[in-house]
């Protein structure tokens, strides 16, 4: 009975110890299981993060948008899984420190995600690959490194916690063993007590037996303890081996174990994922099945020699997967010798697929090279400087922008040396620190030679390598020429390009202000409209360049004599307006007009020519002649025309009659535009007579206009209007064609064939296809060239003489006759008469009018006739109206006459009657006969 009780007590004590051991084991399994799960989740999250990093690099390398979308979708799934894993890990966190470390991971993840998304936005939405690459390099990659470092710290923490838990378990096991020993001692004491108590009576009888049983119990206890200890050790070893095996199989890197001869004994799952070969496919085979042929045999020989000698080998190899594709792996091979027996050596190879990393590195190198090329070859000046004003980088375009030959020269100088003032730089830095980035910022800077220049560009203030805000990046384009052009455009918007005087726009503004001030002060404003007399002759004879110089000199003289508060403006070719402010009385305007006219009396010297230039001037007064600027200008213009019609070289105040004349001019110009279509224009022909024979030797075609309201309009009224409006070109061609058609018709009727003379305007003659037009008209009308005579003015021939000479040569080569009209009224030159292919001079009627009574006119006429004779040119006098004029011309051997003395201009039918005459007029014939007798 006592023995049974003893056995029961020992069993109870043993069960109590085992139960305690089981509780400790379960507690350890629970702790290590949770830690292991958290560690596994962390590693999965890190692996997904690594995949996302590789996907990010691939997105920036591929050009295929479809492939980019797939990568983005994959990355989004990975990101979602990472977020789920982080949430799961958060729920498993047991301590505040663990939660803080996980929060640190999340804190580093956000900058990485933000910079990555910004880079994707630049790449995909704004198509700014270079800017996206810059964000990846400068922001995303540093953030990614921090993010991975946080994850590694968290994993290390979990691993450390597992180690601490294991150590704690060992402590608990030790306590449990001591507790078991204590229970056994107590059991022994109790058993002894019970044995003593129960065997008092039979102590002597069973003493030997009890002693034997005690010895057996001791032996059993010792054996049980050893068995328990061994069992525990084996269990721990098995668990440790299982953990190691699981860790190796689950490792992110591929692991291969071979024997001493290189035969594969074991591979993990990462190997299968990397190569495509399952464990059973490679077991018992040599790793040579992965060879790609990229490395030479010597490379493998050196590898084998290294590991065979027991040394560690580390390097990169390009291998081939099962599907035939190649990849680059980073491999470390470690020899492991068991039992000190070299023959019992195994090799453990740890491999990592670095294909994407290599590609990323290559892409990064390419990107860096591209960035460097963009930097060096950029047409814009690119700079990097510190906040303190020291240059860090400068490309060649930037050096040229600043006026230097090389970037090295710029890098040696302080940034402040290129600002005009210190305050300019301080203002820019203040704004930059506040806004961080300035886009399309215009700035003025100083070049090497001290000249000021303008540039436009983008400026940003970024972090330096240490994270401190202190690097300024600048990209500038030179806009100095554009600024000058804008200034020029601004000037031309309000000022005349030739003279620098205000133009019509600025004049109207100043005139409006002057009128407003006059209304307030209740005084007057005088507007003087000045036009140069015969300025067209200067342009035609000396060329437009000379005319421009004259206009510039006129502008200078007008500005010199105008008051500071007055405005002098140029509103047309040779038209100027002077606005006189604060005029007290109308006579003051007359005094000012006389002063301005006097400024024109001084001789003008232009290109070696001394010119006498006069002007005509019209005056309108506010408020008497108009309440607004437009009315004052219009009325002053009308007064100016009145001054010209009154003999030029004077001034006139506006009157109501002048307004009627201006209206008439406007009506004439308006009606003239329709005159051709309405057939209101017609030609009359004035016969030309040879003095020696009294016979008709030619006809001059004269243009007439029968206005439906104004009646017959004199040519001197509408010809100038036609020239100024450009209508002279179509009208002149109509005159030419009509005269040729009529001359040919008279010839076809059997009448006397004589040349017809047609006046040519300077506007017509300057047409590029003038000769072609003449030839086309002759061809279409059938008139022989010798029956067409063109009358040209002196001023027309003298303007751009070289060009005119070639045109005249072409006309003469066509067989036409050329005559100089109004000879003596312009800048007569013997040299051009000698060279130009003309056949006739026409003395202007202004000399013939008083030739019989005015010695000057007689002398000029005599000189013209004598000069023409010496050059073998015919001379014809126009405007001959009486016997005295005829006698003078006959006495001085003038060849031909034209005028009312012989015949007035005739209509077409009257000309036909004139040409049918077989003999000359009796009076003329008698005079011609008298001259010969």
């Amino acid at each position: 009975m006592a023995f049974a009780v003893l056995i029961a007590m020992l069993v109870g004590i043993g069960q109590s110890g085992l139960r305690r051991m089981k509780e400790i084991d379960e507690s350890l399994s629970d702790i290590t299981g949770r830690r292991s799960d958290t560690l596994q989740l962390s590693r999965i999250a890190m692996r997904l993060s690594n995949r996302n990093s590789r996907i990010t690099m691939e997105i920036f390398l591929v050009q295929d948008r479809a492939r980019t979308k797939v990568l983005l979708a994959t990355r989004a799934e990975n990101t979602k899984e990472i977020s789920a894993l982080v949430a799961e890990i958060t729920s498993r966190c047991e301590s505040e420190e663990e939660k803080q470390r996980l929060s640190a991971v999340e804190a580093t993840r956000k900058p990485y995600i933000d910079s990555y998304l910004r880079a994707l936005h630049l790449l995909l939405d704004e198509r700014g690959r270079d800017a996206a690459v810059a964000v990846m390099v400068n922001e995303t990659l540093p953030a990614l490194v921090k993010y991975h470092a946080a994850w590694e710290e968290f994993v290390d923490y979990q691993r450390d916690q597992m180690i601490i838990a294991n150590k704690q378990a060992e402590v608990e096991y030790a306590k449990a063993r001591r507790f078991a020993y204590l229970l056994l001692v107590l059991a022994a004491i109790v058993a002894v007590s019970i044995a003593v108590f129960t065997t008092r009576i039979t102590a002597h009888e069973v003493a030997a037996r009890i002693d034997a049983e005690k010895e057996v119990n001791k032996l059993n206890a010792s054996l049980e303890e050893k068995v328990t200890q061994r069992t525990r050790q084996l269990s721990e070893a098995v668990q440790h081996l299982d953990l190691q095996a699981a860790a190796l199989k689950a490792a992110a890197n591929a692991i291969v174990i071979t024997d001493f001869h290189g035969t594969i004994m074991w591979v993990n799952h990462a190997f299968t994922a990397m190569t495509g070969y399952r464990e059973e496919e490679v077991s018992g085979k040599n790793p040579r099945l992965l060879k790609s042929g990229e490395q030479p045999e010597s490379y493998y020989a050196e590898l084998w020699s290294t590991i065979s000698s027991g040394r560690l080998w580390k390097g990169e190899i390009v291998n081939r997967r099962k599907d035939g594709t190649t990849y680059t792996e980073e491999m470390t091979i470690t020899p492991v010798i068991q039992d000190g027996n070299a023959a019992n050596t195994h090799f453990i190879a740890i491999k990592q697929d670095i294909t994407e990393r290599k590609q990323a590195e290559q892409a990064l190198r390419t990107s860096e090279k591209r960035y460097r090329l963009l930097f060096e070859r950029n047409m814009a000046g690119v700079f990097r400087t510190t906040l303190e004003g020291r240059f860090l980088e400068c490309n060649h375009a930037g050096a040229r922008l600043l006026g230097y030959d090389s970037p090295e020269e710029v890098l040696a100088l302080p940034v402040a040396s290129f600002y005009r003032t210190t305050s300019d730089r301080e203002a820019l830095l203040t704004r930059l620190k506040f806004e961080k980035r300035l886009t399309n910022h215009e700035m003025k800077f100083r070049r090497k030679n001290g000249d000021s220049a303008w540039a436009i560009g983008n400026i940003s203030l970024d972090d330096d390598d240490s994270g401190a805000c202190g690097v300024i990046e600048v990209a500038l384009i030179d806009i100095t020429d554009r600024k000058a052009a804008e200034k020029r455009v601004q000037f031309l918007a309000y000022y005349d390009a030739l003279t620098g005087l205000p133009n019509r726009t600025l004049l109207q503004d100043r005139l409006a202000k002057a009128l407003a001030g006059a209304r307030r002060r209740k005084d007057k404003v005088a507007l003087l409209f000045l036009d140069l007399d015969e300025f067209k002759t200067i342009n035609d004879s000396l060329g437009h360049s000379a005319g421009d110089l004259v206009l510039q000199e006129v502008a200078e003289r007008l500005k010199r004599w105008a008051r500071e508060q007055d405005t002098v403006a140029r509103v047309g070719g040779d038209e100027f307006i002077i606005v006189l402010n604060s005029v007290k009385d109308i006579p003051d305007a007359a005094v000012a007009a006389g002063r301005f006219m006097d400024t024109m009396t001084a001789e003008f010297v232009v290109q070696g020519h001394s010119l006498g230039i006069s002007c005509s001037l019209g005056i309108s007064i506010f408020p008497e002649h108009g309440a607004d600027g437009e009315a004052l200008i219009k009325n002053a213009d009308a007064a100016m025309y009145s001054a010209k019609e009154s003999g030029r070289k004077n001034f006139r105040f506006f009157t109501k009659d002048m307004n009627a004349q201006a209206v008439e001019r406007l009506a004439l110009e308006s009606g003239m535009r329709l005159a051709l279509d309405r057939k209101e224009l017609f030609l009359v022909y004035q016969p030309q007579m040879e003095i020696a024979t009294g016979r008709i030797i030619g006809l001059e075609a004269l243009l007439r206009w029968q206005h439906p309201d104004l009646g017959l309009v004199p040519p001197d009224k509408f010809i100038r209007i036609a020239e100024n409006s450009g209508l002279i070109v179509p009208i002149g061609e109509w005159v030419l064609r009509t005269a040729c058609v009529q001359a040919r018709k008279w010839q076809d009727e059997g009448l006397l064939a004589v040349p017809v003379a047609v006046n040519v305007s300077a506007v017509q003659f300057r047409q590029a296809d003038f000769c072609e037009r003449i030839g086309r008209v002759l061809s279409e009308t059938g008139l022989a060239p010798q029956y067409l005579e063109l009358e040209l003015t002196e001023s027309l021939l003298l303007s751009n003489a070289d060009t005119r000479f070639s045109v005249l040569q072409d006309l003469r080569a066509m067989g036409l006759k050329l005559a100089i009209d109004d000879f003596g009224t312009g800048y007569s030159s013997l040299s051009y008469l000698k060279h130009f292919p003309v056949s006739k001079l026409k003395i202007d009627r202004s000399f013939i009018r008083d030739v019989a009574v005015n010695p000057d006119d007689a002398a000029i006429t005599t000189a013209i006739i004598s000069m023409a004779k010496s050059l073998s040119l015919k001379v014809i006098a126009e405007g001959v109206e009486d016997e005295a004029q005829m006698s003078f011309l006959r006495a001085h051997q003038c060849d031909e006459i034209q005028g009312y003395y012989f015949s007035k201009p005739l209509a077409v039918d009257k000309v036909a009657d004139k040409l049918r005459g077989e003999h000359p007029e009796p009076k003329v014939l008698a005079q011609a006969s008298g001259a010969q007798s």
Side-chain angles (χ1 to χ4, degrees):
M1 182 65 181
F3 181 74
V5 172
L6 179 61
I7 295 301
M9 289 179 65
L10 290 174
V11 170
I13 291 171
Q15 287 179 344
S16 176
L18 291 173
R19 190 180 304 113
R20 177 59 180 162
M21 295 288 286
K22 184 178 180 181
E23 289 175 356
I24 293 172
D25 185 59
E26 288 176 352
S27 175
L28 175 62
S29 298
D30 181 58
I31 292 172
T32 55
R34 290 199 306 273
R35 292 295 180 185
S36 177
D37 290 345
T38 303
L39 181 61
Q40 184 65 16
L41 291 174
S42 301
R43 285 174 172 167
I44 293 172
M46 280 188 67
R47 187 162 60 253
L48 290 173
S49 179
N50 287 333
R51 290 177 184 172
N52 273 0
S53 300
R54 292 193 295 270
I55 290 172
T56 300
M57 293 301 178
E58 187 173 353
I59 287 172
F60 278 81
L61 294 175
V62 298
Q63 300 294 328
D64 185 2
R65 294 189 65 84
R67 174 62 178 161
T68 300
K69 290 182 179 179
V70 172
L71 292 173
L72 286 173
T74 304
R75 195 186 191 287
E77 288 296 324
N78 291 344
T79 302
K80 185 186 294 183
E81 191 171 347
I82 291 172
S83 299
L85 289 171
V86 171
E88 178 64 21
I89 294 169
T90 304
S91 68
R92 291 173 179 267
C93 291
E94 297 177 353
S95 65
E96 285 301 319
E97 182 179 359
E98 191 174 3
K99 291 179 181 179
Q100 289 176 0
R101 290 180 179 273
L102 187 60
S103 297
V105 173
E106 281 294 278
T108 57
R109 182 186 178 199
K110 186 176 185 305
Y112 161 58
I113 294 298
D114 291 344
S115 64
Y116 158 71
L117 292 177
R118 184 161 60 257
L120 282 183
H121 172 70
L122 292 171
L123 176 68
L124 301 178
D125 297 339
E126 298 185 5
R127 303 304 177 98
R129 175 170 288 276
D130 292 341
V133 169
V135 172
M136 283 295 297
V137 173
N138 297 329
E139 297 180 19
T140 306
L141 290 181
L144 176 60
V145 170
K146 293 179 181 179
Y147 177 50
H148 283 179
W151 265 120
E152 288 173 358
E153 290 178 3
F154 183 79
V155 170
D156 291 340
Y157 172 77
Q158 292 293 332
R159 190 183 297 111
D160 294 339
Q161 290 300 306
M162 279 190 65
I163 293 171
I164 292 171
N166 285 332
K167 289 182 178 179
Q168 184 66 32
E170 291 175 359
V171 172
E172 292 296 327
Y173 269 113
K175 290 180 180 179
R177 284 196 300 271
R178 287 194 296 271
F179 179 68
Y181 292 152
L182 178 61
L183 289 178
L184 288 173
V185 171
L186 289 175
I189 293 172
V190 172
V192 170
S193 299
I194 293 174
V196 171
F197 178 76
T198 56
T199 58
R200 280 179 183 177
I201 300 173
T202 59
H204 299 288
E205 298 175 355
V206 294
R209 184 179 178 182
I210 292 173
D211 292 336
E213 288 179 354
K214 287 180 180 180
E215 188 66 28
V216 171
N217 286 336
K218 288 180 181 179
L219 291 172
N220 286 337
S222 176
L223 180 61
E224 183 178 354
E225 181 180 354
K226 290 181 179 179
V227 171
T228 302
Q229 184 178 0
R230 183 59 177 167
T231 301
R232 183 172 64 250
Q233 291 174 348
L234 288 175
S235 176
E236 290 175 354
V238 169
Q239 289 179 358
H240 187 65
L241 288 174
D242 289 343
L243 178 62
Q244 288 179 340
L248 290 174
K249 282 188 174 293
N253 292 337
I255 301 175
V256 180
I257 301 176
T258 72
D259 61 14
F260 183 74
H261 302 288
T263 303
I264 297 175
M265 299 176 64
W266 180 87
V267 297
N268 67 347
H269 297 308
F271 175 86
T272 301
M274 185 168 68
T275 65
Y277 289 102
R278 298 189 303 276
E279 182 177 358
E280 58 269 20
E281 291 179 303
V282 296
S283 292
K285 296 182 180 179
N286 193 284
R288 285 193 297 270
L289 64 87
L290 300 175
K291 284 178 62 175
S292 65
E294 295 287 338
Q295 278 82 20
E297 289 299 327
S298 59
Y299 188 84
Y300 294 100
E302 182 181 355
L303 181 156
W304 185 252
S305 174
T306 301
I307 62 176
S308 297
S309 61
R311 290 176 293 153
L312 181 142
W313 183 91
K314 186 174 182 180
E316 297 178 0
I317 292 181
V318 179
N319 277 339
R320 190 178 303 279
R321 296 186 181 93
K322 181 180 178 180
D323 61 7
T325 60
T326 60
Y327 65 97
T328 303
E329 66 178 29
E330 186 177 66
M331 181 167 62
T332 301
I333 303 177
T334 305
V336 178
I337 302 175
Q338 292 181 324
D339 304 329
N341 185 3
N344 196 17
T345 300
H346 292 78
F347 301 111
I348 300 177
I350 301 176
K351 303 166 174 275
Q352 181 181 5
D353 187 347
I354 60 171
T355 305
E356 293 183 356
R357 190 185 80 187
K358 289 295 233 181
Q359 292 173 347
E361 289 173 354
Q362 180 59 39
L364 189 59
R365 285 192 295 270
T366 302
S367 177
E368 174 65 22
K369 183 178 180 181
R370 187 182 300 114
Y371 168 78
R372 180 53 54 184
L373 288 174
L374 287 174
F375 179 82
E376 293 297 337
R377 299 178 182 177
N378 203 323
M379 297 298 291
V382 182
F383 310 90
R384 293 182 75 246
T385 73
T386 64
L387 266 176
E388 293 74 24
R390 180 173 57 87
F391 278 104
L392 299 175
E393 285 186 280
C394 168
N395 65 354
H396 288 280
R400 291 193 297 271
L401 177 69
L402 298 176
Y404 291 86
D405 296 327
S406 67
E408 290 72 22
E409 295 181 81
V410 177
L411 296 177
L413 299 171
V415 175
S417 63
F418 297 101
Y419 286 86
R420 293 180 304 149
T421 63
T422 304
S423 59
D424 287 350
R425 182 170 183 270
E426 291 174 351
L428 176 63
L429 291 178
T430 300
R431 183 180 172 191
L432 194 57
K433 289 176 182 177
F434 178 75
E435 300 183 24
K436 298 299 183 184
R437 280 174 172 75
L438 304 178
T439 303
N440 293 330
H441 176 71
E442 293 186 2
M443 60 183 294
K444 200 171 186 180
F445 63 95
R446 185 168 56 221
R447 285 200 168 105
K448 177 182 179 181
N449 59 6
D451 292 344
S452 293
W454 282 92
I456 185 173
N458 300 330
I459 307 175
S460 62
L461 179 59
D462 299 319
D463 296 342
D464 59 14
D465 295 336
S466 65
C469 187
V471 176
I472 300 175
E473 294 186 348
V474 184
L476 297 177
I477 297 175
D478 190 350
I479 59 169
T480 305
D481 292 341
R482 193 191 82 183
K483 280 289 187 180
E486 290 175 353
K487 186 176 181 181
R488 179 65 176 167
V489 168
Q490 184 72 15
F491 176 81
L492 294 178
Y494 298 101
Y495 291 89
D496 176 55
L498 178 63
T499 63
L501 294 176
N503 61 12
R504 188 178 294 273
T505 302
L506 184 55
L507 169 69
Q508 290 173 342
D509 179 69
R510 291 188 178 178
L511 182 56
K513 292 178 180 178
L515 296 181
R519 290 188 183 96
R520 290 193 302 270
R521 297 187 300 270
K522 299 189 182 302
D523 56 16
K524 302 180 185 297
V525 173
L527 191 142
L528 282 59
F529 199 117
L530 184 149
D531 184 271
L532 301 181
D533 295 331
E534 301 295 342
F535 179 72
K536 183 174 177 297
T537 302
I538 297 174
N539 270 340
D540 290 342
S541 59
L542 301 180
H544 287 278
S545 61
D548 290 345
L549 293 175
V550 169
L551 292 174
Q552 291 172 342
E553 177 61 23
V554 169
E556 287 299 320
R557 294 187 184 186
L558 294 178
K559 285 192 294 184
R560 193 180 307 128
W561 286 96
R563 298 175 302 173
E564 184 176 353
Q565 67 267 31
D566 298 335
T567 296
V568 180
R570 182 185 178 213
V571 295
D574 60 342
E575 296 176 339
F576 298 85
I577 287 180
I578 302 104
V579 178
L580 304 178
N581 290 306
S582 303
V583 176
K584 299 303 180 185
D585 299 305
I586 292 179
D588 292 344
V591 172
R595 185 174 69 247
F596 285 119
M597 294 188 68
D598 290 340
T599 64
M600 299 295 117
T601 58
E603 185 178 56
F604 286 78
V605 179
V606 177
Q607 296 178 344
H609 299 278
S610 296
L611 306 176
I613 297 175
S614 62
C615 64
S616 299
L617 199 147
I619 307 171
S620 61
I621 305 294
F622 169 84
E624 284 82 355
H625 301 148
D628 56 56
E630 185 177 353
L632 291 171
I633 292 173
K634 182 189 72 173
N635 293 337
D637 187 22
M640 182 272 294
Y641 271 103
S642 175
K644 281 190 175 294
E645 291 172 356
S646 299
R648 297 185 175 89
K649 202 175 181 180
N650 56 33
F651 64 86
R652 289 284 186 274
F653 281 93
F654 172 76
T655 64
K656 292 183 179 180
D657 293 340
M658 294 176 186
N659 192 40
Q661 293 170 5
V663 171
E664 181 186 15
R665 279 197 305 274
L666 185 61
L668 287 175
E669 181 175 348
S670 177
M672 193 157 231
R673 297 183 183 277
L674 304 173
L676 271 177
D677 294 336
R678 293 177 176 177
K679 302 188 184 310
E680 296 170 2
L681 301 177
F682 63 94
L683 295 181
V684 294
Y685 300 87
Q686 188 169 31
Q688 298 171 336
M689 182 195 80
E690 186 178 44
I691 294 178
T693 62
R695 299 185 63 83
I696 296 176
I697 46 84
L699 299 167
E700 181 179 9
L702 302 173
L703 180 63
R704 297 292 184 266
W705 180 16
Q706 185 65 42
H707 194 280
D709 299 322
L710 302 176
L712 190 63
V713 181
D716 57 353
K717 277 193 174 184
F718 69 82
I719 290 297
R720 183 182 177 187
I721 295 174
E723 288 182 335
N724 292 337
S725 63
L727 293 171
I728 194 65
V729 174
I731 291 175
E733 187 168 348
W734 178 86
V735 170
L736 178 66
R737 183 178 297 276
T738 302
C740 290
V741 167
Q742 187 59 58
R744 176 65 186 183
K745 184 178 181 182
W746 284 328
Q747 292 177 13
D748 292 342
E749 292 175 357
L751 300 178
L752 179 64
V754 294
V756 60
V758 176
N759 287 278
V760 175
S761 165
V763 179
Q764 287 178 268
F765 194 80
R766 283 194 291 266
Q767 298 294 308
D769 59 345
F770 178 70
C771 291
E772 288 78 1
R773 290 179 184 231
I774 297 294
R776 186 167 58 250
V777 169
L778 291 175
S779 175
E780 293 174 358
T781 60
L783 183 66
Q786 65 268 27
Y787 292 108
L788 176 62
E789 181 177 272
L790 299 181
E791 293 190 358
L792 313 169
T793 62
E794 280 184 286
S795 59
L796 184 155
L797 295 176
L798 288 176
S799 63
N800 200 356
D802 293 339
T803 303
R804 302 291 181 258
F805 181 76
S806 63
V807 176
L808 293 176
Q809 290 281 49
D810 293 341
L811 294 174
R812 187 62 180 269
M814 292 169 61
L816 275 70
K817 295 182 178 180
L818 303 175
I820 299 178
D821 193 15
D822 300 334
F823 188 79
T825 59
Y827 298 91
S828 301
S829 171
L830 291 176
S831 61
Y832 86 80
L833 285 178
K834 183 173 68 175
H835 295 294
F836 284 164
V838 296
S839 57
K840 184 186 294 186
L841 300 182
K842 196 169 194 178
I843 304 175
D844 187 69
R845 65 177 67 248
S846 62
F847 300 119
I848 301 301
R849 184 184 304 113
D850 299 322
V851 69
V853 295
N854 188 319
D856 293 336
D857 289 342
I860 292 172
T861 303
T862 302
I864 292 174
I865 295 172
S866 175
M867 179 178 62
K869 293 295 183 181
S870 64
L871 295 173
S872 301
L873 300 176
K874 292 285 187 180
V875 182
I876 181 171
E878 65 175 344
V880 179
E881 298 181 355
D882 56 37
E883 178 61 31
Q885 296 167 345
M886 179 66 176
S887 298
F888 179 88
L889 294 171
R890 184 170 53 247
H892 290 84
Q893 298 182 344
C894 180
D895 299 305
E896 302 165 3
I897 66 164
Q898 175 183 336
Y900 277 72
Y901 179 78
F902 176 64
S903 174
K904 66 180 182 179
L906 304 173
V908 173
D909 56 341
K910 299 295 184 181
V911 173
D913 294 340
K914 196 83 169 174
L915 294 175
R916 288 190 183 96
E918 294 284 335
H919 54 275
E921 294 290 333
K923 178 177 69 172
V924 175
L925 182 58
Q927 293 170 347
S929 300
Q932 294 170 353
S933 61

